Amino acid sequence: MPVVRTLLSQLSRAIGRQSALSELRWMQQALSNPPPGISPACRSLDEMVARRVRGEPLQYILGSQPFGPLDLAVRPPVLIPRPETEDWTLRLADSLTPSPATPFRTLDLCTGTGCIPLLLCHLWPLGSTHATAIDISPDAIQLATENATRCGISTQAHAHASTHPENTFTPILADLMHPDFAQQARLEPPYDLITSNPPYIPQAEYDALPASVKDHEDIRALLGDTPSPLANDVPAQDRAKGLTFYHRIAALVGEHGLLRAGGTLALEVGQGQAHEVAAIVQAKAGVDKIDVWKDPWGKERVVVARR
């Protein structure tokens, strides 16, 4: 116990006593009883506390992050799933009703850990969705593939051998901002559901983020602008606001017929971006039924468009 008290004191000085009490308990639990198939990134409580005191995100230290009923593996530099993303994904799952008789073809852009499509695959009836998940990062695609396996969700490569109804998950490495993205990602439109939590943080806000974020999570998953030549087509004021990827997604939906008639497009947005993103989607994606969902903290968090 003296050792634990010392570690608690160290952690309290870094993050405050109340947070330290909770996090130390989670660290101990991760060491003694980790989620099935997930190992913590550290072998001892001392190492965990030392890394946390240095500012590393707790989730990377624990090696996992709850997302709905799932426990997903997380590791740097792949974006850590946030509670607001979990909230709207659960709401989306409840609002749509795919079935084995009318399965959804789902496309998730900027998938990261695979959290959004994997949760949908877990919650919906077997055989009711076949999800394709795209990311620019090889680390993200590898982690999303591992998470699918841990969650008992078949990857497309194995699905054809099954004679039983099942939901499937196909991760694909591709650059959303590449001019030939549709071919690179082997897209097969139309899709019944398109989801994305794209990079949306403006440069000025990114510069002010704490080191615990900037030093560990991939900038490509956070910063809402890119040096890609395609970004030059986006108005400068929108690039400064972190809206570059919304212009690209909306244009892809409109120009390539990605969304079927009656389909749903759900895009997470940053603070103050919802109405501008709604206008971009309406102008470029060919949709006219648009809602804005708030997160549990009262912020406008998701633009949901239906064709």
Side-chain angles (χ1 to χ4, degrees), residues 7 11 14-16 18-31 35 38-42 44-66 72-76 78-83 210-213 215-217:
L7 294 175
L11 198 55
I15 64 174
Q18 287 305 116
S19 295
L21 284 167
S22 297
E23 292 196 9
L24 197 64
R25 184 175 67 252
W26 294 329
M27 291 175 185
Q28 291 171 314
Q29 182 177 347
L31 288 169
I38 298 177
S39 299
C42 306
S44 70
L45 195 60
D46 298 62
E47 184 185 356
M48 283 184 163
V49 170
R51 288 172 60 170
R52 188 69 179 110
V53 168
R54 291 196 296 268
E56 186 171 347
L58 175 67
Q59 294 90 336
Y60 286 153
I61 297 169
L62 300 180
S64 66
Q65 168 68 13
L72 298 177
V74 293
R75 59 174 177 262
V78 182
L79 185 75
I80 298 166
R82 270 42 174 195
S212 60
V213 176
D215 290 353
H216 298 278
E217 294 184 274

Side-chain angles (χ1 to χ4, degrees), residues 231-300:
N232 295 329
D233 296 332
V234 177
Q237 64 270 25
D238 281 5
R239 294 186 67 174
K241 293 176 181 178
L243 303 177
T244 298
F245 287 87
Y246 300 108
H247 278 274
R248 175 61 169 158
I249 292 170
L252 282 167
V253 171
E255 294 169 7
H256 292 272
L258 295 190
L259 192 65
R260 74 160 177 84
T264 299
L265 172 66
L267 303 174
E268 181 169 326
V269 299
Q271 186 168 355
Q273 294 176 333
H275 294 284
E276 287 175 291
V277 171
I280 292 167
V281 167
Q282 187 168 26
K284 293 188 173 183
V287 296
D288 53 11
K289 301 173 184 176
I290 298 177
D291 295 315
V292 174
W293 291 356
K294 291 184 178 181
D295 65 22
W297 299 273
K299 294 182 179 180
E300 294 178 329

Side-chain angles (χ1 to χ4, degrees), residues 102-295:
T102 56
F104 273 16
R105 301 180 69 249
T106 299
L107 175 65
D108 184 53
L109 302 171
C110 311
T111 199
T113 60
C115 57
I116 295 170
L118 289 176
L119 183 53
L120 296 176
C121 284
H122 177 82
L123 294 174
W124 284 338
L126 293 178
S128 65
T129 190
H130 303 291
T132 299
I134 313 290
D135 205 283
I136 190 176
S137 164
D139 292 310
I141 291 300
Q142 177 63 35
L143 185 57
T145 303
E146 294 173 14
N147 275 325
T149 300
R150 289 188 183 95
C151 296
I153 298 166
S154 296
T155 59
Q156 190 68 47
H158 300 103
H160 296 299
S162 175
T163 58
H164 304 289
E166 57 185 344
N167 294 332
T168 63
F169 177 83
T170 304
I172 296 176
L173 180 68
D175 179 1
L176 180 62
M177 297 301 294
H178 193 282
D180 295 324
F181 169 73
Q183 291 73 35
Q184 187 184 81
R186 306 190 295 279
L187 298 184
E188 297 179 354
Y191 294 92
D192 302 276
L193 171 64
I194 300 173
T195 58
S196 186
N197 176 19
Y200 55 66
I201 299 176
Q203 181 71 60
E205 291 183 21
Y206 179 83
D207 293 341
L209 288 175
S212 60
V213 176
K214 289 196 294 184
D215 290 353
H216 298 278
E217 294 184 274
D218 193 341
I219 186 174
R220 294 176 298 177
L222 296 166
L223 186 61
D225 194 19
T226 169
S228 166
L230 286 180
N232 295 329
D233 296 332
V234 177
Q237 64 270 25
D238 281 5
R239 294 186 67 174
K241 293 176 181 178
L243 303 177
T244 298
F245 287 87
Y246 300 108
H247 278 274
R248 175 61 169 158
I249 292 170
L252 282 167
V253 171
E255 294 169 7
H256 292 272
L258 295 190
L259 192 65
R260 74 160 177 84
T264 299
L265 172 66
L267 303 174
E268 181 169 326
V269 299
Q271 186 168 355
Q273 294 176 333
H275 294 284
E276 287 175 291
V277 171
I280 292 167
V281 167
Q282 187 168 26
K284 293 188 173 183
V287 296
D288 53 11
K289 301 173 184 176
I290 298 177
D291 295 315
V292 174
W293 291 356
K294 291 184 178 181
D295 65 22

